[in-house]
Amino acid sequence: MKLKIAIQGIKGSNHHQVAKDYYGDKIELVECLSFHGLVDQLLSGAADKGIMAIENSIAGSIIPNYALVYDNGLHIIGEHYLNIHHHLMVSKGEGLNDIKEVRSHPMALLQCREYLKTVPHIKVVEDVDTAETAKQIQERDLKGIAAIAPKVAAELYGLDIVATDIQTIKNNATRFIIVKTKNKELPKEDINKASVRFITDHKRGSLAAMLNVMSDCNLNLTKIQSLPIIETPWKYAFFVDVTFDGYANFEKAKALLNIMSEDFKVLGEYKNARG
């Protein structure tokens, strides 16, 4: 049986590209129009694993996805970095001057903001996915409508690219996480990165003490993200990514952090994709 991989978006999206890069072509895509829908597919067993964008080198963290992972008991089993290339595409035979409206995912529009300023006659409209607009242009034979999407979307849906690499910063990468309902898949000797979540108390220096433990255990902090705890105003949970050379160092840190913090949880143990 083919591995069922849930992605946010459809064929031709960046999530689709990551699924191909990470698992190859012998997979069955479970297309979801939202990250909430992706989680539902995992929890119901309709998908074996899911791929979620978690941060971008230009736009920063996709904060709601941190909460989705924690709130639904998902586990991060891997990660993948994808260099993002955004292209402006239209129905066959149309050109730049024919475009009245451009549609794409809000993140893609944000990443192409400077280019879009150069074409003020084009109305900018947020859509659920990059490739979804490309697909609709083909299926409905939409005229005067452009999509911002990866090159693979133009190939899949028979569109013409009228402007290439329109992202503001050319060195633009997104980090994706691979999630499932069960924990790590790798032996300890292959694990050199982890994601954890914890809550600190209101005492002065509480967070600094946690960070000192990580440093003392030879962990390298690569990401820290705070999220408010809705039920308790002005209290925050911290999502932290760390890398390490030996799993024993992380095990030692886990034991200490669990004692020092509230609601400590390991969200995933996996291989560093940039190591």
Side-chain angles (χ1 to χ4, degrees):
M1 292 179 63
K2 288 185 177 180
L3 198 62
K4 295 180 180 178
I5 306 295
I7 62 168
Q8 187 275 320
I10 63 171
K11 289 179 181 176
S13 66
N14 284 316
H15 281 79
H16 177 206
Q17 185 64 56
V18 172
K20 284 165 60 80
D21 291 347
Y22 202 86
Y23 287 110
D25 291 318
K26 294 182 180 180
I27 56 174
E28 181 180 332
L29 281 185
V30 180
E31 299 173 341
C32 309
L33 291 183
S34 70
F35 288 112
H36 284 278
L38 183 154
V39 171
D40 289 342
Q41 294 298 309
L42 286 172
L43 296 179
S44 70
D48 302 309
K49 300 173 185 180
I51 292 171
M52 300 174 68
I54 198 73
E55 61 179 307
N56 176 264
S57 58
I58 299 174
S61 298
I62 305 173
I63 293 175
N65 286 356
Y66 285 91
L68 273 179
V69 171
Y70 172 76
D71 292 342
N72 292 282
L74 298 181
H75 298 275
I76 302 170
I77 59 166
E79 65 177 3
H80 184 78
Y81 290 84
L82 180 70
N83 289 323
I84 303 299
H85 299 276
H86 290 306
H87 308 294
L88 191 67
M89 55 194 70
V90 294
S91 183
K92 285 284 185 185
E94 290 205 301
L96 188 61
N97 292 332
D98 299 311
I99 302 172
K100 297 180 176 63
E101 184 177 294
V102 59
R103 303 174 187 171
S104 195
H105 188 277
M107 189 68 74
L109 296 173
L110 179 65
Q111 292 167 8
C112 300
R113 183 169 55 187
E114 293 306 312
Y115 173 81
L116 293 173
K117 286 180 182 178
T118 68
V119 284
H121 68 284
I122 298 177
K123 181 182 178 183
V124 176
V125 178
E126 293 184 357
D127 209 339
V128 294
D129 180 58
T130 52
E132 177 66 24
T133 297
K135 182 181 180 183
Q136 292 299 325
I137 291 173
Q138 181 203 50
E139 289 185 344
R140 299 181 185 178
D141 194 26
L142 298 177
K143 303 299 183 184
I145 305 295
I148 293 175
K151 183 179 180 182
V152 65
E155 296 168 352
L156 275 172
Y157 303 118
L159 304 183
D160 284 343
I161 294 176
V162 294
T164 60
D165 284 315
I166 62 171
Q167 65 273 8
T168 301
I169 299 175
K170 301 311 174 186
N171 185 18
N172 173 18
T174 294
R175 177 183 173 228
F176 295 79
I177 52 175
I178 291 77
V179 294
K180 63 181 292 190
T181 56
K182 295 182 180 179
N183 208 344
K184 59 181 182 291
E185 296 188 329
L186 298 173
K188 289 182 180 181
E189 57 268 25
D190 291 340
I191 295 171
N192 59 3
K193 188 170 184 178
S195 298
V196 302
R197 176 201 184 266
F198 56 82
I199 300 170
T200 60
D201 58 32
H202 283 295
K203 294 178 182 177
R204 185 175 64 186
S206 294
L207 178 59
M210 301 284 284
L211 298 179
N212 283 336
V213 166
M214 296 179 199
S215 177
D216 291 344
C217 292
N218 295 313
L219 306 187
N220 178 39
L221 181 73
T222 61
K223 177 75 177 179
I224 184 168
Q225 178 71 52
S226 65
L227 266 75
I229 299 170
I230 305 301
E231 303 82 12
T232 312
W234 310 116
K235 197 165 188 178
Y236 293 84
F238 293 93
F239 291 80
V240 172
D241 291 337
V242 292
T243 59
F244 40 87
D245 292 328
Y247 188 81
N249 292 331
F250 179 59
E251 280 191 310
K252 180 181 178 182
K254 273 196 297 187
L256 293 170
L257 296 173
N258 191 38
I259 295 169
M260 296 172 61
S261 64
E262 299 176 34
D263 197 26
F264 178 82
K265 184 178 181 181
V266 177
L267 301 177
E269 302 174 5
Y270 47 98
K271 190 172 182 63
N272 181 10
R274 304 186 79 182

